[in-house]
Amino acid sequence: MYSIDDKQYPCSTSLTMKYIGGKWKAVILIHLIQKKRYSELRKECKVITERTLSLQLKEMEEDGLVTRTVYTSKPPLRVEYELTEFGKTLIPLLNSIAEWGMETAKNNKRIQAVE
């Protein structure tokens, strides 16, 4: 059993899913393996609404997975996101998830790539 801020997690898997679970967190995290401006992230994650992207980024920042840096020195305002050292520990897991998805897509006739 694990506990964070009085919330209980019955096993290590549920603890992991607290950080990367949901529809979009793993997708956003894999895009942040390399530092990205917010606008770049929006372009790469077109299917995620702007509100959802912002909320997920805020949650992951609060969880210590990503850092948000605001540059105001010259207009226009620039915001960049990148994985923290803690967030970078997820890279092998994220790569494994992506690899599993590619293999599944190759081997399952029901799955079709769509552009």
Side-chain angles (χ1 to χ4, degrees), residues 10-25:
C11 65
S12 58
T13 301
S14 65
L15 180 64
T16 302
M17 295 310 291
K18 177 254 188 287
Y19 289 101
I20 67 164
K23 190 171 180 178
W24 300 115
K25 282 186 181 177

Side-chain angles (χ1 to χ4, degrees), residues 2-105:
Y2 301 92
S3 177
I4 300 174
D5 299 326
D6 296 327
K7 184 160 183 188
Q8 305 252 323
Y9 299 90
C11 65
S12 58
T13 301
S14 65
L15 180 64
T16 302
M17 295 310 291
K18 177 254 188 287
Y19 289 101
I20 67 164
K23 190 171 180 178
W24 300 115
K25 282 186 181 177
V27 173
I28 295 166
L29 288 166
I30 204 155
H31 283 283
L32 288 176
I33 287 176
Q34 295 192 326
K35 183 190 310 188
K36 296 267 185 335
R37 285 180 156 190
Y38 180 80
S39 58
E40 293 174 302
L41 200 51
R42 280 286 300 134
K43 287 177 189 167
E44 291 179 7
C45 301
K46 293 178 222 172
V47 296
I48 306 173
T49 66
E50 191 164 347
R51 182 178 191 284
T52 298
L53 179 60
S54 294
L55 289 172
Q56 296 291 282
L57 285 166
K58 185 176 181 180
E59 263 184 48
M60 291 185 290
E61 186 178 8
E62 289 169 0
D63 286 340
L65 296 174
V66 301
T67 58
R68 178 181 188 264
T69 306
V70 180
Y71 297 94
T72 58
S73 57
K74 64 177 187 178
L77 177 74
R78 188 176 89 204
V79 178
E80 288 182 341
Y81 289 89
E82 64 183 313
L83 296 178
T84 62
E85 289 305 310
F86 177 52
K88 288 176 183 175
T89 64
L90 288 168
I91 292 173
L93 175 62
L94 295 168
N95 285 335
S96 292
I97 290 169
E99 187 177 311
W100 184 88
M102 287 185 281
E103 285 301 312
T104 300

